Amino acid sequence: MLNGKVAVVTGASGGIGKAIALAYGKAGASVAVHYHGNKAKAEAVKTEIEAAGGKAEIFCCNVADFDECSAFIKSVIKTFSRLDILVNNAGITKDGLMMGMSEKDFDDVIDTNLKGSFHCIRFASRQMMKQRFGRIINITSVSGVAGNAGQANYSASKAGLIGLTKSVAKELASRNVTANAIAPGFVKTEMTEVLSDEVKENAKKQIPLGRFAEPEDIANAALFLASDMASYITGQVLLVDGGMVM
């Protein structure tokens, strides 16, 4: 499905990013496995992709840093000679009620989740425009669509990412570069594992399908949007949330 394509997946050392990287590798893409904090986990993802017959290399970068992102994307293109798919998945949370939230906690989340995506698109899009082909997929959240108490910074970053997606889609469409967003709901990852059983059960009551998503549910959507089957889809937000936000 993605034979001959080169895909960058940020935040690919675990959770949703890992699932997307593995799906892309199994579909025939060469995968740039990005990480920032945990090299061992990134190496494990690379090994798993290669064990399934795929190609992968790991890259370290703080996506919140403009210059580091420039060097990161240049390194990917130097390694693989092209860049076809960019998945902006790297993200952090620093939850807290608005009245007590520090400026730093707000800025850190915006800088990673929103500016980090801008940085990667800024540098990857030039190569995609030269090729006259590209697929940009931004991982937003239902929190960016509906808001969430205690997550003003996170919700703002993810809502901003939706606006960024639509603007990029309009700017790059003439060069056959699409940009879409995926908005997951609750997903079984390390981030949700720390929630209490009571919180999990209450959350499931808000989901018509009655369960949390598996990371692979999000990866399936990312695989579709990166494929030729989605060549006429751009500027859209695909909610993969079990019906939580309708």
Side-chain angles (χ1 to χ4, degrees), residues 20 33 38 43 99 102 150 190 215 239 245:
I20 293 172
V33 177
N38 198 319
E43 289 279 12
M99 291 294 290
S102 69
E190 290 179 5
L239 276 76
V245 177

Side-chain angles (χ1 to χ4, degrees), residues 10-123:
T10 68
S13 60
I16 292 171
K18 175 183 177 180
I20 293 172
L22 291 175
Y24 283 0
K26 289 174 183 175
S30 297
V31 184
V33 177
H34 162 269
Y35 74 99
H36 183 214
N38 198 319
K39 183 176 181 180
K41 283 188 175 182
E43 289 279 12
V45 174
K46 176 179 183 288
T47 299
E48 197 168 338
I49 290 171
E50 291 173 339
K55 296 178 182 177
E57 296 293 342
I58 67 168
F59 298 83
C60 182
C61 169
N62 175 12
V63 295
D65 188 292
F66 188 84
D67 293 330
E68 278 194 37
C69 277
S70 175
F72 163 46
I73 296 299
K74 284 178 182 175
S75 183
V76 170
I77 295 167
K78 183 177 180 181
T79 300
F80 294 110
S81 300
R82 60 183 296 118
L83 200 172
D84 303 287
I85 302 158
L86 169 64
V87 179
N88 285 306
N89 168 72
I92 62 170
T93 57
K94 290 192 174 183
D95 296 349
L97 294 175
M98 187 72 176
M99 291 294 290
M101 185 175 290
S102 69
E103 183 181 19
K104 186 177 188 304
D105 282 355
F106 191 90
D107 287 348
D108 285 350
V109 172
I110 295 292
D111 286 349
T112 297
N113 299 6
L114 181 55
K115 283 189 70 179
S117 298
F118 156 69
H119 293 157
C120 290
I121 294 169
R122 163 74 166 73
F123 296 110

Side-chain angles (χ1 to χ4, degrees), residues 98-157:
M98 187 72 176
M99 291 294 290
M101 185 175 290
S102 69
E103 183 181 19
K104 186 177 188 304
D105 282 355
F106 191 90
D107 287 348
D108 285 350
V109 172
I110 295 292
D111 286 349
T112 297
N113 299 6
L114 181 55
K115 283 189 70 179
S117 298
F118 156 69
H119 293 157
C120 290
I121 294 169
R122 163 74 166 73
F123 296 110
S125 60
R126 185 176 296 272
Q127 178 67 25
M128 292 178 173
M129 289 173 74
K130 284 181 183 176
Q131 296 169 177
R132 292 190 174 270
F133 178 88
R135 299 283 182 264
I136 296 168
I137 299 164
N138 297 320
I139 307 300
T140 178
S141 168
V142 293
S143 295
V145 177
N148 196 27
Q151 286 193 316
N153 49 2
Y154 184 76
S155 297
S157 73

Side-chain angles (χ1 to χ4, degrees), residues 154-170:
Y154 184 76
S155 297
S157 73
K158 294 301 189 178
L161 193 52
I162 291 172
L164 179 65
T165 301
K166 292 176 181 289
S167 293
V168 168
K170 289 185 175 181

Side-chain angles (χ1 to χ4, degrees), residues 192-244:
T192 54
E193 278 303 307
V194 300
L195 299 175
S196 68
D197 289 340
E198 182 182 2
V199 170
K200 288 179 185 176
E201 287 308 309
N202 286 335
K204 286 177 184 176
K205 291 175 184 176
Q206 302 174 45
I207 304 169
L209 287 181
R211 66 173 179 87
F212 284 10
E214 300 290 340
E216 290 74 21
D217 291 320
I218 315 305
N220 289 338
L223 184 59
F224 166 68
L225 288 174
S227 74
D228 289 341
M229 290 187 290
S231 63
Y232 199 60
I233 299 172
T234 196
Q236 302 305 306
V237 182
L238 177 59
L239 276 76
V240 186
D241 65 351
M244 184 178 171

